[in-house]
Every structure is written in C-alpha cells, then in structure tokens.
Amino acid sequence: MNITVRYFANMRDRMGRAEDSVAVDGETITVEELWGRVSPQQTLPANVLIAVNMEYTDASRALKNGDEVAFFPPVTGG
Amino acid sequence: MNITVRYFANMRDRMGRAEDSVAVDGETITVEELWGRVSPQQTLPANVLIAVNMEYTDASRALKNGDEVAFFPPVTGG
Amino acid sequence: MKVIVQEGLFDPYQVTRDYEARCLPVGKHGAVVTFVGTMRDFNDGHNVSAMFLEHYPGMTERHIEAVCQEAAEKWDVIDALVLHRHGDISVSEPIVLVAVWSAHRAHAFDACRYIINYLKERAPFWKREATTQGHQRWVEHNTEDPGVNSQGTKQKTA
Amino acid sequence: MKVIVQEGLFDPYQVTRDYEARCLPVGKHGAVVTFVGTMRDFNDGHNVSAMFLEHYPGMTERHIEAVCQEAAEKWDVIDALVLHRHGDISVSEPIVLVAVWSAHRAHAFDACRYIINYLKERAPFWKREATTQGHQRWVEHNTEDPGVNSQGTKQKTA
C-alpha cells in the first residue's frame, strides 16, 4: 500500500522536505512505524501533532492504503 | 432655594410635563419631600429611579439650592 | 477613549475602522472586540416596527464614560469607543457600538462585555416601541446578560 | 455560516458589513460580536517586523468549520463568519476575523469567544516571525485565553 506523508512548519525544516511517498509491503503499519521509515535516525518528538486524512489522531493509529499522514508542531494561528 | 425637577419617559407622561421649578422656603428638603410638593396626590412609585445632578441617589438625599433632580423609570438602552 | 451619543444612523463598522486608523498606535493591539446592538423586529413577544430612544443629555454620556473608565481599570485596555444613538430608530438599524482594543483577546472580550452590560444597567436611555398593531409602549426592562460564559445553556435567554 | 482562508490583506469591518448586508435576514439579530486579531510589533519579548503564516490547505478549513458548528450547537447563533489569512503579514494588519450574529448578546459573545479560542487550539496554522534583528523563528506556542470572564485580573496574561 501507499502512504503520503506531509511535514509542516519546523517539521518540514527538520526533515529537509515537505512530503514523502512511502510504499509499504506488509498488511498494516501504524503511524509510529511509518515514522520509523521516514526518520530512522530519530524517534517521534513528543510534542509533534499527527493528522491522518486531515483529522487529529495519535501514533498508534493503523494506516490503510491511500492515507495522507501529516506531522507538524503545535498550531499557532489566530 | 430653587430646585429644578425633570421627568423622563413614562414619568413625564404621568406628570404631564417635562420639568418643574420648585422654590423651597425652608432650610432643607429631601428628594422624598420634594416629590410630595410636585405630586401631592401620589406617593413616589417604588421602581422610580432618582438622580441628583446626574448622579444616582435615593429618596432620603437632602437637596441644596440649584440642584437638578430627575425622576425616571428603569433604563432600557443598549 | 471616546463616548458619542448622537441622533441619526451610523455605520458601526466604518466608525470602528475610522477610529482605529485615526486614534490607535500602529502595532500595539493584538485584539479588537466589537459589540453592535441592532433593532430587532420583535421584542417581548411583540412585533415591533419602529422605536424612539429617549435619553438624559449630560447624564447619559457621564455614566457611559464612567463604565468605560471602570473597564479600563479592570483590564488592559488600549482604547475604547462607544457610540449610542437616541431618537427615532428603524428595524435592523444599529443602536449601539462598543469597540475595545487590547494587546490580549481575553481582556478585549471581558472589557467589551462589561461596558455593554453596565451601560445597559446604568446609562439613562428609555425605549418606546411602536408595535405593528399601531400601539406605542415604553419598554419596561431590558433582557439580561448573566455576564458569564453560559456554555451549554442554549435555552437560557440572555 | 462561512469560513474563508485566504492570502492577502482584507478589511475585517468591510467584510463584516458586506456579509451582513448580503446574508443576514433583516431585523432578526439584535447582537453582533466581532473579534479581529491583528499583528503586533512585539511577541514573547521580541520586536517583530513581519510574519509568515503557513497552513494545511483543506485541513485548516475543515477544523474551523467544525469549531463554528460546535458553537452553533451550544448557543443561539443566527450566522457566523470566519476569515483567516495565510502567507506574508505585516505589522498592524488583520490576521483573523470572527463575526457572530445572534438574537441575544450573551450568545453572540460566548459563541465568538468559543470560535476564536478553539480555532487557535485546533486549526493548523503556524507562525514564523521575522524579528527586527533579522532572525526568523517559528512561534512555539500561542498565548492562552482562560475562556472565562477574568474580572479583576488585570495582571493575568491571556
């Protein structure tokens, strides 16, 4: 299955890219395992927010084919 | 001494006039006694508000020469 | 701070914008809260077609100014503007504008709400409504704002 | 109800007036509360000269709409309008407008405050400030609104 991964604000700066496309062979993968694929050197920072298909979720969320996963810092709008 | 008395809203309707000028012979007079002079037939209605020189006060307030006394119903602005 | 009591229609949004451009220092406020009270076509179960708003010239301005002053003592207020109409008012027209500028939004919200609540309680104005049945009546009391956040109390009239 | 996320300057007061003229039924609302958040020239002890506001197209709009919907379920809201900028923003320019129309002022105040508070908490926007010393930094956290009337707490930062 294929997962789109997006990074915003200082997470994009840290990753050095805005987006990844990840092909997963196995049956399932959680957000946390996905993070291990895109950032093998560093565990998921504690205050990073996670959205799947534009809804907030947590690192244990299981992903399915076509999901869009986003990693970003606490929001500061308004 | 001379006291100006003003009536607003339904108090003006009830009195049939907007203003009285009252000459007082004695040394002192309270708002309540003043009311007795301008409206001998009727005691001061309970919910009527009183201002002396544009500040809220009550019926026991003693008046002095030149004071402006106003009687009006609860306010309904805004 | 400025308090205006005037006869005749005004545009509360243009007044707010013009006042801000003319009187507010650039870049100091982070929050502006405005309240605009407008005339509804119903009140207390009556259909209303027009209104006359009487006031007590001098006393009205003095008490609105006192309320603004109190708000500025309680919260961080950079500036405040109140404009209140008197005289004849038609349905859907603005009656009152309260605008508060602050560095912080909580202060702007609290101060604006305080000003309109205490203005309604203390500033001498009296509404006389003309109903669609052709009757005139003095409005006896204002609706109340409990003055606190009433989350989850949709049925509460305020 | 309408939510707009756009690049480029807007006039919050003209937008509010135009929306009211175009979309609100005549004579039904008695209260309009607006909140305008503007860019200050200082934040967290830094002097700030300019700002870039990033967002997540699609997710941002969806979450602002959800917050407006929640407010409309909690209070009597006739209509609500939210306009939020992204992109480059200069000192003193408006960043966000929240306007709420209601029959009653308590509902308009509560709903407007709820929308801006939860928008700031949940809508994906990220501020990058340019300080007057020429540095750029991502803003780490927003200031908070306790969400309750903070009468008498002038020292409280919110």
Side-chain angles (χ1 to χ4, degrees), chain C residues 44-146:
Chain C
D44 255 357
H46 298 260
N47 289 325
V48 180
S49 60
M51 186 172 87
F52 176 81
L53 195 52
E54 184 176 339
H55 78 305
Y56 185 170
M59 180 167 176
T60 304
E61 292 86 344
R62 181 187 296 199
H63 283 265
I64 299 175
E65 282 162 10
V67 170
C68 291
Q69 198 55 49
E70 289 164 17
E73 283 160 17
K74 285 176 185 285
W75 296 283
D76 285 325
V77 171
I78 294 173
D79 208 340
L81 168 67
V82 177
L83 199 161
H84 204 301
R85 284 179 71 183
H86 65 90
D88 291 306
I89 297 173
S90 300
V91 164
S92 91
E93 289 181 356
I95 300 168
V96 58
L97 160 71
V98 178
V100 173
W101 288 262
S102 175
H104 307 288
R105 74 183 185 283
H107 291 242
F109 271 110
D110 284 346
C112 185
R113 195 163 184 163
Y114 181 92
I115 292 171
I116 184 63
N117 282 354
Y118 285 91
L119 181 160
K120 278 178 176 267
E121 194 170 300
R122 293 176 356 209
F125 286 104
W126 304 277
K127 287 175 181 159
R128 191 179 65 217
E129 291 177 343
T131 67
T132 50
Q133 286 80 40
H135 299 122
Q136 293 213 337
R137 62 171 201 125
W138 288 102
V139 176
E140 305 244 320
H141 58 272
N142 263 338
T143 54
E144 279 171 36
D145 177 357

Side-chain angles (χ1 to χ4, degrees), chain A:
Chain A
M1 64 184 184
N2 280 285
I3 308 290
T4 301
V5 192
R6 303 182 66 177
Y7 313 105
F8 292 94
N10 68 7
M11 286 300 289
R12 186 185 47 243
D13 297 351
R14 186 181 297 191
M15 300 298 281
R17 57 195 188 272
E19 200 167 319
D20 278 316
S21 185
V22 178
V24 178
D25 285 338
E27 283 290 297
T28 59
I29 187 172
T30 65
V31 169
E32 189 154 24
E33 289 161 351
L34 176 72
W35 175 262
R37 298 278 292 269
V38 297
S39 178
Q41 316 300 333
Q42 195 196 16
T43 57
L44 189 59
N47 69 339
V48 165
L49 300 179
I50 300 159
V52 172
N53 300 329
M54 301 188 177
E55 296 293 342
Y56 288 104
T57 189
D58 60 54
S60 67
R61 164 81 168 256
L63 300 168
K64 61 183 197 308
N65 186 40
D67 278 351
E68 175 174 299
V69 181
F71 296 101
F72 49 78
V75 305
T76 53

Side-chain angles (χ1 to χ4, degrees), chain A residues 6-10 12-13 47 49-51 53-56 68-70 72-78, chain D residues 54-59 62-63 84 95-96 119-127 138-142:
Chain A
R6 303 182 66 177
Y7 313 105
F8 292 94
N10 68 7
R12 186 185 47 243
D13 297 351
N47 69 339
L49 300 179
I50 300 159
N53 300 329
M54 301 188 177
E55 296 293 342
Y56 288 104
E68 175 174 299
V69 181
F72 49 78
V75 305
T76 53
Chain D
E54 183 175 341
H55 78 304
Y56 184 170
M59 180 167 174
R62 182 189 295 196
H63 284 264
H84 203 302
I95 301 167
V96 58
L119 180 161
K120 277 177 176 269
E121 194 170 300
R122 294 180 350 213
F125 286 104
W126 303 276
K127 287 176 181 158
W138 288 103
V139 176
E140 303 245 319
H141 57 273
N142 263 336

Side-chain angles (χ1 to χ4, degrees), chain C residues 11 17 27-30 32-34 36 38 40-41 72 75 105 107 110 113 117 147 149-150 154 156, chain D residues 11 17 27-30 32-34 36 38 40-41 72 75-76 105 107 110 113 117 147 149-150 154 156:
Chain C
D11 178 335
R17 185 179 49 185
K28 299 309 172 199
H29 64 271
V32 194
V33 172
T34 72
V36 178
T38 58
R40 293 180 302 179
D41 59 8
W75 296 283
R105 74 183 185 283
H107 291 242
D110 284 346
R113 195 163 184 163
N117 282 354
N149 281 9
S150 51
K154 190 160 179 172
K156 185 182 249 169
Chain D
D11 179 334
R17 185 179 50 185
K28 298 310 172 198
H29 64 273
V32 194
V33 172
T34 72
V36 177
T38 57
R40 293 181 301 180
D41 58 9
W75 295 285
D76 284 325
R105 75 182 184 284
H107 291 243
D110 285 345
R113 194 164 185 164
N117 282 354
N149 282 8
S150 52
K154 191 161 178 172
K156 186 182 247 165

